[in-house]
Amino acid sequence: MKNERLWTKDFLSVSLSGFFVFLVFYTLMATLPIFVIDNLGQEDSKVGLVVTCFLIASVAIRPFAGIWLDTIGRRKILIISLVFFTLTTFLYPFINNFALLLLLRFAQGIAFGLGTTATGTIVAEIVPISRRGEGMSYYSSSMILAMVFGPYLGINLMNHFTFHILFFVCGFFAIISLIFGLFIAIPKQTLKAKTRIKPSQLIERSALPISITSAIISFGYSGIISFITLYAKNLGFVDIASFFFIVYAVFILGSRPFTGKLFDRKGANIIVYPGIILFTIGLVVLSFSTVPTIFLFSAALIGLGYGSIVPSFQTLAINTAAPAKKGMATATFFMFFDTGMGIGSYVLGIVSAKASFHIMYVITAIAVLSTTVIYYLLHDRKQRKATAIENAAA
């Protein structure tokens, strides 16, 4: 009988490796803006470049990461990326000017793009096919936990110690990620032949429909990750802002045992359509928040909605690809997802400055709601036709 266990040593190892990579990412994302202003003497307007350089590198490397995962091998790419990520993390204490910081962020963005593409592909390989939705749901919880603990830890280290201590702690987390990566026993892989890379190879076509849809979802979410603290300050309850992501994470993690199993048993639609509606309602509630309780209630709705959509989309992107192209499918998914996040951060930043946060969140709600139509046209309709043909043939 085929082993259907989910919580294996390898699944725990890849999840923990991913967790510590994202813990470093979110810790630095919360604290580097202060480092840029206070320690490097830069203006507020330059803070965004720290994220932009990282994101450009991460997006640019993902298509190549997908090809290398399928031609060089999952394990080699994983270990190379984790070693590179660890080395770049330990270089932060030696940064003394802004240009060097941007160069380092670009280099670490490459390592991050390689590493997260590798772990996302590997986890899809080591979980039983019949429990892939559940497995991807639990794996993505590592990112959620890192998003909560990273900023909290980073801000406390920054307030009570020096940035050098903070950077060395991040380096220690990167080492732990590498150690867990070394313990992963990756299934035997049939490598594709190495050929000259063509533009058509940089994207897995089967994953395009769901990846395009995910880009719009991440566009909407960029308004949360980039501006929620500023919005809370604008509303006059900045002390509550730190609780937003805690409530958000609690509702995501609380829903994971149910959403993943529902995906495997009933299919994606039972998760995706309600998830989009909940995410949309959450953004609308957030845009009209006038008291802390409504503000935090929106976090619960967004957690239930957005938190169930992303792992479902990632699983769909992987399921549509042939076994030899799952690395490319994962890379395609994250490339579009990160692009949506980057465009959203830039565009919504302009909207919030020219109009208001209220208008900005209404726009994100409309964008997210539009994915019901896009998801149906690009993915669901095709799946329904394919199912009807199979049933007719049977």
Side-chain angles (χ1 to χ4, degrees):
M1 182 177 178
K2 189 176 179 180
N3 185 8
E4 295 294 311
R5 287 178 59 217
L6 176 60
W7 295 99
T8 61
K9 173 187 73 69
D10 296 323
F11 179 74
L12 287 171
S13 294
V14 72
S15 297
L16 288 170
S17 180
F19 167 75
F20 282 102
V21 166
F22 278 99
L23 187 64
V24 173
F25 170 73
Y26 283 112
T27 299
L28 292 176
M29 191 171 72
T31 54
L32 280 180
I34 307 300
F35 177 75
V36 168
I37 295 170
D38 292 352
N39 289 48
L40 300 184
Q42 299 299 309
E43 299 175 353
D44 294 7
S45 59
K46 291 187 176 181
V47 168
L49 290 174
V50 175
V51 177
T52 301
C53 282
F54 188 96
L55 190 62
I56 289 173
S58 178
V59 170
I61 201 64
R62 288 197 188 277
F64 299 97
I67 293 173
W68 294 335
L69 285 168
D70 295 333
T71 56
I72 298 175
R74 320 275 202 245
R75 183 172 184 81
K76 287 182 181 179
I77 295 300
L78 174 66
I79 301 306
I80 289 171
S81 65
L82 292 178
V83 169
F84 191 27
F85 186 80
T86 301
L87 291 175
T88 53
T89 303
F90 273 108
L91 288 177
Y92 279 99
F94 304 100
I95 297 298
N96 56 14
N97 69 72
F98 189 60
L100 281 177
L101 177 63
L102 294 182
L103 182 62
L104 178 57
R105 290 295 287 170
F106 189 87
Q108 191 170 51
I110 292 174
F112 181 82
L114 280 173
T116 52
T117 304
T119 52
T121 303
I122 290 168
V123 75
E125 291 288 320
I126 63 178
V127 299
I129 295 176
S130 63
R131 301 183 69 180
R132 183 171 285 163
E134 183 183 2
M136 295 302 294
S137 181
Y138 280 121
Y139 166 73
S140 63
S141 297
S142 63
M143 292 182 282
I144 306 303
L145 289 171
M147 186 182 66
V148 175
F149 290 115
Y152 177 82
L153 178 66
I155 291 170
N156 276 282
L157 286 171
M158 180 181 67
N159 289 338
H160 294 92
F161 300 96
T162 65
F163 273 103
H164 278 63
I165 297 296
L166 184 150
F167 293 145
F168 278 118
V169 170
C170 286
F172 175 70
F173 290 151
I175 289 175
I176 296 176
S177 176
L178 174 59
I179 291 172
F180 278 116
L182 292 170
F183 279 105
I184 303 169
I186 300 172
K188 188 176 180 180
Q189 177 186 1
T190 302
L191 298 178
K192 294 169 60 179
K194 296 179 183 178
T195 58
R196 186 176 179 180
I197 297 176
K198 301 176 183 178
S200 59
Q201 293 177 295
L202 298 179
I203 291 177
E204 172 53 39
R205 290 188 178 184
S206 66
L208 265 179
I210 206 67
S211 297
I212 292 171
T213 312
S214 75
I216 301 170
I217 288 293
S218 67
F219 176 93
Y221 183 67
S222 67
I224 303 296
I225 196 69
S226 301
F227 304 108
I228 196 66
T229 303
L230 292 176
Y231 181 48
K233 183 178 180 181
N234 183 266
L235 291 174
F237 34 85
V238 67
D239 293 339
I240 305 297
S242 61
F243 291 100
F244 183 93
F245 285 113
I246 294 176
V247 173
Y248 167 87
V250 166
F251 276 84
I252 287 181
L253 297 174
S255 67
R256 284 292 149 89
F258 310 103
T259 55
K261 291 180 180 179
L262 270 175
F263 181 101
D264 291 327
R265 294 173 182 173
K266 302 290 186 179
N269 291 349
I270 198 171
I271 301 297
V272 171
Y273 286 118
I276 293 173
I277 298 302
L278 283 171
F279 189 13
T280 302
I281 295 172
L283 289 168
V284 172
V285 171
L286 180 63
S287 72
F288 288 99
S289 295
T290 54
V291 295
T293 51
I294 301 299
F295 181 76
L296 295 179
F297 177 61
S298 72
L301 292 173
I302 292 169
L304 287 172
Y306 174 83
S308 62
I309 297 169
V310 175
S312 297
F313 278 2
Q314 186 178 352
T315 305
L316 286 173
I318 293 170
N319 285 348
T320 57
K325 294 185 176 181
K326 292 193 184 299
M328 196 65 249
T330 303
T332 300
F333 173 82
F334 278 117
M335 182 175 66
F336 276 83
F337 187 86
D338 289 348
T339 299
M341 186 79 72
I343 293 173
S345 296
Y346 177 75
V347 171
L348 296 177
I350 295 174
V351 172
S352 64
K354 298 291 185 180
S356 66
F357 285 111
H358 166 72
I359 297 298
M360 184 195 78
Y361 284 120
V362 169
I363 289 173
T364 59
I366 294 171
V368 169
L369 184 61
S370 73
T371 57
T372 55
V373 177
I374 296 168
Y375 172 77
Y376 174 77
L377 293 176
L378 296 184
H379 177 80
D380 187 21
R381 183 174 60 173
K382 294 179 180 179
Q383 292 300 309
R384 290 175 189 267
K385 287 183 179 179
T387 302
I389 293 171
E390 290 177 4
N391 293 336

